Amino acid sequence: YHQIAKNAYMTGPAILIGLLAAFIQSWEADGYINISNILLRYGGWFLTALFLTGTARLLRGKAKFTATLRVSGFAQSAHILELLAFIPVIGPIARFLALLLTFFGVWIGTSIANELRGWRTILLPIVYLLVIVLTFVFLITIIEGTAFTIDSLLTDLGVTAE
């Protein structure tokens, strides 16, 4: 992962692996090629890399977004195991292993790319989850506050929704 994080030429292959992983996940989940699902998963992967970069920065990480994107892209290659999902006995195990390997790959890759050491490496997934939860709580609060403000303004203007 260290070589992937430092080599800018690995950005293209990481993006391609991320797209292939989204394709495999969508095909395995839906049973057919669903373009909107693929694009949603692909966009989610970029968003995840952005949140990982922010989380690593909170823990004093040194890498830029592209380095985190590269290592998380290559960690997505574990989703190739999901191609075994069509075998009834092996399918659930393959999906679980793909998820587990991807999780640890992204965790270790992000730690290495951002040069996190010791307790910061251990805290990375915990702080990542906190950042995600707090971001969604913040967004929901802002949306509800905006709705309340608009409702109050409309009431003051004499316009009410019935």
Side-chain angles (χ1 to χ4, degrees):
Y1 284 113
H2 181 71
Q3 294 298 322
I4 293 167
K6 299 301 178 201
N7 190 349
Y9 291 113
M10 291 290 112
T11 304
I15 289 172
L16 188 60
I17 290 170
L19 181 61
L20 183 62
F23 182 84
I24 291 170
Q25 287 176 316
S26 176
W27 177 70
E28 194 273 322
D30 294 339
Y32 61 95
I33 299 171
N34 185 346
I35 300 297
S36 62
N37 191 335
I38 292 170
L39 293 175
L40 183 66
R41 289 175 187 272
Y42 197 52
W45 171 62
F46 274 99
L47 194 61
T48 300
L50 184 66
F51 279 116
L52 278 169
T53 303
T55 302
R57 288 291 178 136
L58 285 174
L59 295 171
R60 309 229 189 255
K62 298 178 178 104
K64 294 183 179 178
F65 171 73
T66 53
T68 305
L69 183 73
R70 283 192 291 271
V71 295
S72 68
F74 275 88
Q76 297 296 315
S77 64
H79 286 292
I80 196 84
L81 291 174
E82 290 189 31
L83 292 176
L84 297 173
F86 70 92
I87 303 171
V89 177
I90 301 174
I93 297 168
R95 283 191 290 276
F96 178 73
L97 280 176
L99 178 70
L100 198 64
L101 289 173
T102 301
F103 173 76
F104 282 110
V106 169
W107 182 5
I108 300 300
T110 303
S111 295
I112 290 172
N114 286 281
E115 299 175 14
L116 299 176
R117 303 283 183 254
W119 63 271
R120 289 184 174 99
T121 299
I122 304 288
L123 280 180
L124 181 65
I126 297 165
V127 174
Y128 172 72
L129 288 175
L130 285 173
V131 165
I132 293 289
V133 168
L134 291 176
T135 299
F136 283 115
V137 167
F138 179 73
L139 286 174
I140 289 169
T141 304
I142 286 184
I143 291 168
E144 288 179 356
T146 303
F148 179 74
T149 302
I150 290 171
D151 188 45
S152 296
L153 285 172
L154 290 175
T155 303
D156 289 344
L157 294 173
V159 180
T160 58
E162 294 183 33

